Amino acid sequence: MFNALNAMGGAGQIDRTVSNNTNTGIYCSFIVFGIIGGAIVNLLGIRWTICAAGLTYALNSSSYIFYNHTKNGGFSIATGPILGTGAGILWSAQGMVMMAYPLEHQKGRFISVFWIIFNLGGVIGGIVPFAINYRQGKESKAIPLPDSGYIVFVILQTAGAFCALLLSPPTRVVRDDGSHVAINSSQYTNVRQEAIELCRLFVNPWILLLVPMSLGSNFFYSYQFGPYNGALFTLRTRGLNSMLYWASQMAAAFGVSLLHDRETLSRKKRGMASLALLALLTNVMWGCTLAVQLRYTRGPDNTHAESDYPGGLIDFSEPSRAAGPMLLYCFMGAVDAHYQSFAYWLIGTMTNDAQMLARYAGLYKGIQSVGAVVAWQLDAQEVGLMAQLIVNWVLFNLALPCTLFVATRIKAHSYECMEISADGAYDDADDDWLLTPSRSSRSSKSKKTRSIRLSSAYEI
C-alpha cells in the first residue's frame, strides 16, 4: 500500500515537497531501526513486532487526509520517523522469514512468493487512485488524491498489520523434508548478545562488500515515482501506471526465482547468471529512460500547471503517446524486482541461521535507507531531473564490481554447524571447501572429529 501511494508521485499530491520530506524522515529513522531491527525481532519475536510496525504505515497514510484539508505538512512529516521505526523492524522480520524458513533450493521461490504478495498490495493500491480518478478527462486540472482514496489505504494497511498475528514463529516451522528452521543458541539471546552480534556485522568483509549494492537498491524510487511517473502523466494514468509497475514486479519476481532455484546449475553459476542479466537489463532500462528524459525538464508543480513534455501530460487514452513511456515504467518495475530478488537471494546464500538472517536483512535495509535519504532529498531540493537520472545510472554500475566479487565466492551449501576430522579438512568436491589445519592438528594422528560453528558460508 505504501509503495502504491509513493509510486503515484508525491503520495497522491500535486506538490511533491511534503512527500519528499516525509520520505526523508522515514529513511533517516529506517537507517537506525533497520540496523538494529534484527536484534529487536530476535528478542521480541515476529508476530507482534510486525503487527505494531504495520500500524505505522496506516498512520502515515492518514496524515495526508489532514494535509488535504489544511495544506499543513507538519503532521505528515512527523509521521515519517515513526514509520521509519516500524519499517526497519518489519523488514528485518520479513527478511528473516523469507530467507530462513525455506530449504536452500527453495529460497528463490520463497523470495518470489513474498515479492508477489508484497506487490499485490501495490497493485490493489494502484487500483484505488485509478478508479477514483477514472472519470477525469485528459484536460482536467491535476488534483490530489481525495480523502476517500486515503481512507481505503488506511483500512487495508490496518487489516494487513493484524494479519501478522497469524504468522508461525520459527520454532514451530517444519520444512518439507522434516527439518526445522536453523536457530543457533536462541535460548541465550539477550540484549548483550545481540549488541555483540550487531557489532560483528560491521567487520564482516562479505557484508561490507555488499554495501554499494545495498546503498543503490532503493535509490531509484525517488526518480521513478516523482520525476518520471509524477512529472509525465495525468493523475488517473499515474494510478494505472502504479498498478502496472507492481504487477510487472510480480511477474519478474516469479521469472527470476526459476533461475535462482535451478538445481541443474551450481549456486555460483546461478548467481553469476542472475547478476549478468541484471546488469544488462538495468543498463538498457536507464538508456531508454535517458531517451525519454531528453524530451522534458520538469513536471507540474506549484508554479507550473503542466509538464514541458511535448504535448503536455500523458494520458492512457492516447495510445500513440502513452504506450512507450508506460511500457518503460513497467520495465522499471520488472528490473526492480530482479534487483531486490537477487540481493535477498545472495544474502540468503551466506547462512541458513534465522537470527543471523534477521540481522543481515536489517542491515541491508538500513544501508539501503541511507541511499534513499539522499535520493529523496535530491528531488526535494529540486536537483535537475537529468542529474538525478545520471546519479542513479552511475551508482548501479559502481556497485557491480563488489557484487560480482561476492557472487564469485558463492558456495554450494551454507552450514551453521558441521563435523570435520581432527586434521582440519573438509573435502567435498561440490563445495570446494578446505579448512587450513592448525599446527597441533597437523601433528595429531587421531581421527576424532570436532564440531565447528560457521555463521556464514563465506567466512572460510
Side-chain angles (χ1 to χ4, degrees), residues 153-170:
F153 277 100
V154 171
I155 292 172
L156 291 174
Q157 288 170 323
T158 302
F162 284 105
C163 283
L165 299 179
L166 302 175
L167 288 170
S168 294

Side-chain angles (χ1 to χ4, degrees), residues 387-452:
Q388 292 187 48
L389 186 156
I390 292 172
V391 169
N392 275 281
W393 200 347
V394 170
L395 188 62
F396 172 79
N397 285 288
L398 287 178
L400 283 178
C402 289
T403 309
L404 176 62
F405 184 82
V406 176
T408 60
R409 266 60 179 181
I410 295 174
K411 300 300 181 182
H413 298 287
S414 303
Y415 294 93
E416 275 61 56
C417 185
M418 65 184 187
E419 298 293 322
I420 63 173
S421 62
D423 65 2
Y426 168 77
D427 187 13
D428 187 316
D430 185 41
D431 292 342
D432 192 27
W433 287 45
L434 182 62
L435 307 182
T436 304
S438 63
R439 290 179 180 271
S440 60
S441 65
R442 286 194 187 100
S443 59
S444 174
K445 302 298 183 181
S446 171
K447 293 299 181 183
K448 293 180 180 179
T449 62
R450 58 189 176 89
S451 177
I452 66 170

Side-chain angles (χ1 to χ4, degrees), residues 111 210 213 271 341-350 403 406-407 410 458:
I111 291 169
L210 292 181
M213 180 189 71
S341 296
F342 173 74
Y344 279 114
W345 181 84
L346 186 61
I347 293 170
T349 64
M350 293 182 171
T403 309
V406 176
I410 295 174
Y458 290 78

Side-chain angles (χ1 to χ4, degrees), residues 202-355:
F202 292 96
V203 295
N204 185 324
W206 301 105
I207 294 297
L208 296 179
L209 282 167
L210 292 181
V211 165
M213 180 189 71
S214 304
L215 194 67
S217 57
N218 265 12
F219 202 97
F220 45 82
Y221 280 167
S222 66
Y223 175 85
Q224 292 177 354
F225 296 167
Y228 189 85
N229 193 35
L232 282 179
F233 300 93
T234 61
L235 183 61
R236 65 177 186 174
T237 307
R238 283 156 56 186
L240 177 61
N241 280 347
S242 177
M243 180 174 62
L244 296 175
Y245 182 92
W246 302 117
S248 299
Q249 294 225 17
M250 295 168 68
F254 174 75
V256 77
S257 72
L258 301 179
L259 173 58
H260 288 160
D261 286 346
R262 190 177 180 83
E263 293 187 80
T264 55
L265 298 174
S266 68
R267 282 211 301 185
K268 181 188 293 187
K269 289 181 179 178
R270 283 177 256 163
M272 297 286 287
S274 184
L275 180 58
L277 181 60
L278 176 62
L280 173 63
L281 294 177
T282 303
N283 280 289
V284 169
M285 179 197 75
W286 287 121
C288 294
T289 307
L290 175 63
V292 176
Q293 182 62 74
L294 288 170
R295 305 189 68 190
Y296 72 105
T297 61
R298 59 168 174 78
D301 53 33
N302 285 336
T303 57
H304 303 93
E306 282 286 339
S307 169
D308 62 353
Y309 186 81
L313 293 176
I314 301 170
D315 191 76
F316 72 91
S317 63
E318 308 169 290
S320 60
R321 296 182 67 228
M326 289 181 69
L327 286 173
L328 177 56
Y329 198 58
C330 293
F331 186 38
M332 290 176 179
V335 171
D336 177 33
H338 190 161
Y339 194 136
Q340 306 300 334
S341 296
F342 173 74
Y344 279 114
W345 181 84
L346 186 61
I347 293 170
T349 64
M350 293 182 171
T351 182
N352 293 324
D353 178 63
Q355 290 181 341

Side-chain angles (χ1 to χ4, degrees), residues 84-239:
T85 300
I89 297 170
L90 184 147
W91 280 92
S92 297
Q94 75 80 23
M96 182 263 280
V97 170
M98 182 174 64
M99 294 185 287
Y101 280 24
L103 295 165
E104 285 188 348
H105 67 275
Q106 296 176 329
K107 289 193 177 187
R109 186 188 316 166
F110 270 59
I111 291 169
S112 73
V113 168
F114 161 75
W115 213 252
I116 289 170
I117 296 172
F118 168 58
N119 287 298
L120 180 60
V123 171
I124 295 172
I127 292 173
V128 173
F130 177 65
I132 290 174
N133 296 289
Y134 179 77
R135 292 187 180 278
Q136 287 190 43
K138 177 187 181 302
E139 303 302 327
S140 299
K141 183 181 177 180
I143 62 172
L145 186 67
D147 292 354
S148 57
Y150 289 113
I151 290 171
V152 172
F153 277 100
V154 171
I155 292 172
L156 291 174
Q157 288 170 323
T158 302
F162 284 105
C163 283
L165 299 179
L166 302 175
L167 288 170
S168 294
T171 53
R172 295 174 58 185
V173 174
V174 180
R175 301 190 181 106
D176 291 345
D177 66 348
S179 64
H180 294 263
V181 174
I183 305 177
N184 285 322
S185 305
S186 61
Q187 64 269 34
Y188 302 118
T189 297
N190 53 47
V191 174
R192 179 178 177 276
Q193 183 61 35
E194 289 298 328
I196 293 172
E197 294 295 338
L198 180 62
C199 292
R200 286 176 177 168
L201 293 179
F202 292 96
V203 295
N204 185 324
W206 301 105
I207 294 297
L208 296 179
L209 282 167
L210 292 181
V211 165
M213 180 189 71
S214 304
L215 194 67
S217 57
N218 265 12
F219 202 97
F220 45 82
Y221 280 167
S222 66
Y223 175 85
Q224 292 177 354
F225 296 167
Y228 189 85
N229 193 35
L232 282 179
F233 300 93
T234 61
L235 183 61
R236 65 177 186 174
T237 307
R238 283 156 56 186

Side-chain angles (χ1 to χ4, degrees), residues 13 18 62-77 144 147:
Q13 297 295 318
V18 171
S62 67
S63 71
Y64 288 101
I65 300 174
F66 177 79
Y67 180 76
N68 269 350
H69 292 274
T70 65
K71 299 306 175 186
N72 184 340
F75 181 31
S76 295
I77 294 172
D147 292 354

